[in-house]
Amino acid sequence: MNKALLLGALAAFAALPAQAQVLTVCLEGSPEIFNPELSSNGTTIYALGQIYDGLVSVERGGSNIEPALAESWEVSEDGLTYTFTLRQDVAWQSNALFTPTRPMNADDVIFTFERMMNPEHPYYEVSGGNYVTFNAKLADILESVEKVDDYTVSFTLKEPLAAFIGTMAHGSLAITSAEYADAMMAAGTPEQLDLQPIGTGPFQLQAYQADAIVRLLPFAETWGAQIGDDNRTPMVDAVVMAISSDATVRLQRALAGECLIGLYPNLADRETIEQSGNLEAVRTPVASTGMLHFNFEDEKFQDQRVRQALAQAIDMENLVEVVYSGMGHVTGAVVPPALWGHAEDIAPWDYDPEAARALLEEAGFADGFTTQLWAVPVARPYMPNGRRAAEIIQADWAEIGVQAEIVTYEWAEYIERARNGEAEVGMFGGIYDFPDPSQIPNNYLSCDEEGVPAPSNIGRWCDDDFNTVMTEAGSITDQDERTGLYLEAQQIVHDQVPVVVLGGADQITAVNTSVKGYVPAIFGTSRLSGVTVE
């Protein structure tokens, strides 16, 4: 989208008052669709998160769960039933196709989940029927969703899932209108439900041009405004999302004032942003964890002394400073600092090459050994430059006599080979989809009751104590108790050294100094409600 097109888009709001506040955002891609249930794409959820609400949400700029369309919830003693009490008098938006006749109620919640759960539902296959997040997180564990009364809904699980409430905060599980769906089905155009959105959120869709622009107008009747919550109230007269996939182009437009919020600039451009005079580089911790996994099918890595020696041979302060462009944090904890349950007292093993050499000699490797060191080939929040990180580690290990050959593959092949157990020492990691500490430890370090590693546990480490603690943490709902168990689990990982945690980096957003109140999200959607333009 060029400057002329953006200015033309702004001109579309000429009918607004002369002093209208228009919030312009440089977005990195187009929404895939306008029903969040059918996408797990972050770009799509960013746009639709302004239009729709879920039963619960993540607190602004944090990781705790707070009420949204559900004002409260209760959990049964056996951890199997979650009963949500819905807000009353929550208004739906309208569009040229439909005007609602009633507020949001339990029928809408039932419709939303029945569509995803029931293959016989008339909407199940509409728009392709690919409910990515629901199928991955809830389909196998959700027994039923039942209407208790007009403003009470109960969810029954097949087995306890401590992360259930966190999962429900995912933007893909927003509530859609049953009445709108019925009207579109009766009109013979059910797909319009997914193309012309009607939600309960602070903004409503005015227009969309693929690969160019999304235009939103404030929804004054949104429930956040009705209860007096400024953070959920639209404070600008319009939102224009200009779409550009190129990070350099997005930054140029932000520098020129064409976009007041520029998403996902390159980390290396932080100094340019900070010296611009009209932009701030707003830093946000990203909940992700990158690790070096030692392959336990290799006999030498079954010796804890070898693993500890390699951990102590890495100058982690230097690695994080260089690889994360001064934006990183050094930690030895598997759960990242952005998330509750993070073990802030667990630091990396001290950088001590002399102690590392002594451990190798004690383990029978006085002359060192050779190994492969796999480097991720793509940029990720948990590892923005795998090749550079591998080169630093390679040089550090050479100082203690360990010769590492750097290996990499195209990303899809890398993942497949790593999960097949081919990496001797492999970089791997993940990004948290929702604010629950269980995700990364379970996916990357656990084994099942039969001793079968999780698919992303590429090192094949299986520790009974760790698995027992993680299982217990996943079966209870008290957050304080769960936090204690996750701290215990992280200590086990630190002491046993099945992996070396590689730290992580903050994300930056280029925000014009005229913008007030914009708080980038750690999880889920950054809200444009509560934001003003001076």
Side-chain angles (χ1 to χ4, degrees):
M1 182 179 178
N2 58 31
K3 184 173 182 178
L5 182 54
L6 177 58
L7 293 175
L10 293 175
F13 293 101
L16 293 170
Q19 300 301 315
Q21 291 188 354
V22 178
L23 179 63
T24 51
V25 181
C26 274
L27 195 64
E28 75 278 12
S30 296
E32 297 174 292
I33 200 162
F34 280 88
N35 184 331
E37 299 157 12
L38 294 157
S39 175
S40 64
N41 176 276
T43 302
T44 301
I45 299 303
Y46 183 96
L48 302 194
Q50 318 307 327
I51 299 171
Y52 293 94
D53 294 302
L55 294 178
V56 296
S57 62
V58 184
E59 67 179 342
R60 189 182 190 91
S63 61
N64 293 320
I65 304 299
E66 62 183 12
L69 293 181
E71 60 183 10
S72 64
W73 59 90
E74 296 180 352
V75 185
S76 62
E77 290 187 9
D78 61 8
L80 295 178
T81 301
Y82 289 74
T83 302
F84 293 88
T85 299
L86 307 180
R87 294 186 189 277
Q88 299 190 27
D89 300 320
V90 172
W92 286 104
Q93 300 160 8
S94 61
N95 59 25
L97 299 175
F98 176 75
T99 299
T101 66
R102 62 165 176 79
M104 183 276 303
N105 64 25
D107 292 334
D108 301 308
V109 179
I110 298 299
F111 162 73
T112 298
F113 284 89
E114 279 291 326
R115 173 183 181 172
M116 296 185 284
M117 293 173 63
N118 181 8
E120 303 301 320
H121 193 281
Y123 267 91
Y124 184 78
E125 295 185 355
V126 172
S127 304
N130 186 18
Y131 309 108
V132 184
T133 299
F134 179 84
N135 289 341
K137 308 294 185 184
L138 293 178
D140 293 336
I141 200 168
L142 187 56
E143 180 71 34
S144 65
V145 182
E146 298 179 352
K147 175 181 177 179
V148 178
D149 57 42
D150 283 348
Y151 292 98
T152 311
V153 180
S154 67
F155 289 70
T156 301
L157 310 182
K158 297 175 184 177
E159 59 187 58
L161 178 65
F164 177 73
I165 289 294
T167 303
M168 292 292 283
H170 197 285
S172 293
L173 301 178
I175 303 303
T176 52
S177 168
E179 189 184 22
Y180 181 31
D182 289 343
M184 293 303 96
M185 185 65 72
T189 57
E191 68 281 354
Q192 293 302 314
L193 176 74
D194 306 322
L195 299 175
Q196 301 292 329
I198 284 180
T200 58
F203 293 95
Q204 52 193 340
L205 181 68
Q206 186 200 37
Y208 169 60
Q209 182 178 346
D211 300 321
I213 200 164
V214 179
R215 302 175 190 164
L216 305 176
L217 291 176
F219 178 48
E221 293 76 32
T222 187
W223 62 272
Q226 302 308 309
I227 67 171
D229 184 346
D230 288 347
N231 287 332
R232 294 184 180 274
T233 299
M235 298 289 192
V236 294
D237 299 301
V239 172
V240 176
M241 296 182 179
I243 298 167
S244 176
S245 61
D246 190 312
T248 301
V249 172
R250 292 197 300 276
L251 178 57
Q252 289 173 346
R253 291 173 178 166
L255 289 168
E258 297 172 17
C259 290
L260 299 181
I261 297 174
L263 302 182
Y264 303 114
N266 295 316
L267 292 182
D269 288 329
R270 179 188 58 165
E271 187 174 346
T272 299
I273 296 170
E274 291 175 340
Q275 294 179 355
S276 67
N278 67 327
L279 298 176
E280 295 179 3
V282 178
R283 297 178 60 159
T284 309
V286 176
S288 66
T289 303
M291 294 167 276
L292 277 185
H293 292 250
F294 298 113
N295 194 323
F296 276 66
E297 293 180 353
D298 187 324
E299 185 175 353
K300 62 179 173 288
F301 293 130
Q302 295 172 11
D303 191 323
Q304 191 271 354
R305 294 170 296 183
V306 172
R307 304 192 302 272
Q308 181 179 332
L310 293 176
Q312 288 196 268
I314 300 173
D315 184 349
M316 197 61 69
E317 294 277 357
N318 175 63
L319 185 149
V320 170
E321 177 65 25
V322 172
V323 173
Y324 298 98
S325 302
M327 298 284 292
H329 53 262
V330 178
T331 179
V334 173
V335 176
L339 192 62
W340 66 268
H342 167 67
E344 59 181 317
D345 295 333
I346 298 180
W349 285 93
D350 290 336
Y351 173 54
D352 192 339
E354 183 176 344
R357 282 190 289 269
L359 281 170
L360 286 185
E361 182 175 359
E362 184 181 326
F365 295 99
D367 297 325
F369 56 82
T370 62
T371 189
Q372 289 184 344
L373 173 58
W374 286 32
V376 294
V378 293
R380 286 291 184 267
Y382 57 80
M383 178 43 64
N385 192 331
R387 168 64 67 168
R388 186 71 185 100
E391 290 170 349
I392 292 172
I393 295 167
Q394 180 187 53
D396 285 347
W397 284 356
E399 293 295 318
I400 63 169
V402 174
Q403 305 304 314
E405 174 195 3
I406 298 175
V407 175
T408 195
Y409 299 93
E410 182 273 329
W411 187 222
E413 183 179 0
Y414 184 101
I415 293 172
E416 181 179 4
R417 286 177 175 269
R419 287 179 171 170
N420 286 337
E422 297 181 28
E424 293 181 40
V425 182
M427 286 183 195
F428 224 47
I431 305 168
Y432 278 83
D433 297 315
F434 52 89
D436 191 276
S438 61
Q439 184 178 352
I440 296 298
N442 275 334
N443 289 358
Y444 292 82
L445 293 168
S446 70
C447 298
D448 66 18
E449 294 179 354
E450 284 72 43
V452 178
S456 293
N457 182 355
I458 66 171
R460 306 294 200 266
W461 176 65
C462 288
D463 183 89
D464 290 342
D465 291 339
F466 175 82
N467 291 321
T468 297
V469 171
M470 289 300 300
T471 299
E472 183 180 354
S475 65
I476 60 177
T477 57
D478 184 275
Q479 184 165 317
D480 289 339
E481 292 183 37
R482 295 185 70 213
T483 295
L485 290 167
Y486 290 128
L487 297 180
E488 183 179 345
Q490 290 170 89
Q491 190 65 54
I492 293 171
V493 173
H494 175 74
D495 294 343
Q496 293 297 320
V497 209
V499 296
V500 177
V501 178
L502 295 175
D506 292 349
Q507 169 188 301
I508 58 173
T509 305
V511 181
N512 194 282
T513 54
S514 67
V515 174
K516 306 301 178 185
Y518 183 72
V519 181
I522 300 171
F523 305 93
T525 301
S526 298
R527 302 176 193 167
L528 299 181
S529 54
V531 178
T532 60
V533 179
E534 292 184 349

